């Protein structure tokens, strides 16, 4: 259901996941949860980031599904764990620490990530192929608009 909402709202992971993957949640999680997050990341590496992503979607899915697909800003605020949706003391901080604790328990194998990466790579390659074809077709269609300017007239 969350996937359907994000798809219908045209929201791509690049719009919200950078705070999790690139920023390592430094500007998102309160200190106690951040400490546990960083510790888990140092122990499990990038696999923890994927586990955390799944835990975050699980923890926020109920709230996400209250929004219409047109409420893109609110959906992104939830996915980014924005302070407008989640203050640092939200549920006494228990929300964040529980999410990190849950992420540590999610079973996810490296092979699953490799498989997902291969699938996404194929989708991207197909999208790029279609884009190049469309660009070539548009270039072939490019023609003079039949407007003749005085400096283009033949001297015949």
């Amino acid at each position: 259901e969350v996937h359907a909402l994000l798809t219908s709202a045209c929201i791509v992971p690049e719009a919200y996941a950078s705070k999790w993957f690139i920023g390592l949640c430094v500007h998102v999680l309160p200190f106690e949860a951040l400490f546990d997050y960083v510790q888990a990341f140092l122990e499990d590496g990038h696999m923890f980031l994927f586990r955390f992503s799944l835990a975050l979607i699980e923890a926020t899915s109920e709230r996400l599904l209250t929004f219409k697909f047109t409420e893109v800003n609110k959906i992104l605020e939830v996915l980014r764990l924005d302070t407008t949706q989640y203050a640092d003391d939200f549920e006494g901080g228990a929300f964040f620490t529980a999410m990190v604790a849950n992420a540590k328990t999610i079973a996810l194998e490296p092979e699953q990530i490799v498989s997902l990466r291969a699938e996404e790579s194929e989708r991207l390659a197909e999208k790029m192929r279609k884009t190049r074809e469309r660009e070539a077709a548009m270039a072939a269609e490019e023609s003079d608009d039949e407007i003749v300017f005085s400096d283009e007239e033949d001297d015949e």
Side-chain angles (χ1 to χ4, degrees), residues 77-149:
E77 286 174 355
V78 169
L79 290 170
R80 292 174 179 160
L81 297 176
D82 195 278
T83 55
T84 59
Q85 295 288 327
Y86 301 98
D88 279 355
D89 61 353
F90 182 74
E91 295 181 1
F95 172 79
F96 298 105
T97 54
M99 187 171 22
V100 173
N102 183 33
K104 292 178 183 180
T105 66
I106 292 175
L108 186 63
E109 297 301 321
E111 295 80 23
Q112 291 172 289
I113 300 300
V114 169
S115 174
L116 290 171
R117 184 174 283 146
E119 289 173 25
E120 188 58 30
S121 179
E122 288 175 21
R123 276 195 288 274
L124 181 59
E126 179 62 18
K127 183 177 181 180
M128 293 299 294
R129 184 189 64 74
K130 287 180 180 178
T131 300
R132 282 190 215 102
E133 285 177 1
R134 179 67 182 134
E135 287 172 346
M138 289 171 63
E141 290 173 3
E142 242 179 56
S143 66
D144 197 354
D145 55 10
E146 299 184 17
I147 297 175
V148 178
F149 294 95

Side-chain angles (χ1 to χ4, degrees), residues 7-122:
T7 301
S8 63
C10 297
I11 297 176
V12 294
E14 294 86 353
Y16 56 86
S18 61
K19 286 190 176 187
W20 315 337
F21 286 101
I22 298 169
L24 295 177
C25 289
V26 169
H27 300 290
V28 178
L29 297 175
F31 182 75
E32 278 187 40
L34 181 61
F35 184 81
D36 291 340
Y37 178 96
V38 171
Q39 184 177 3
F41 172 71
L42 292 174
E43 290 171 1
D44 298 334
H46 73 281
M47 289 301 295
F48 178 74
L49 299 178
F50 291 103
R51 289 184 184 106
F52 179 79
S53 300
L54 294 171
L56 188 145
I57 296 298
E58 183 179 316
T60 60
S61 62
E62 190 175 314
R63 181 176 258 182
L64 287 168
L65 295 174
T66 65
F67 299 120
K68 296 179 209 159
F69 75 95
T70 56
E71 297 177 287
V72 174
N73 286 345
K74 290 189 182 280
I75 294 169
L76 288 172
E77 286 174 355
V78 169
L79 290 170
R80 292 174 179 160
L81 297 176
D82 195 278
T83 55
T84 59
Q85 295 288 327
Y86 301 98
D88 279 355
D89 61 353
F90 182 74
E91 295 181 1
F95 172 79
F96 298 105
T97 54
M99 187 171 22
V100 173
N102 183 33
K104 292 178 183 180
T105 66
I106 292 175
L108 186 63
E109 297 301 321
E111 295 80 23
Q112 291 172 289
I113 300 300
V114 169
S115 174
L116 290 171
R117 184 174 283 146
E119 289 173 25
E120 188 58 30
S121 179
E122 288 175 21

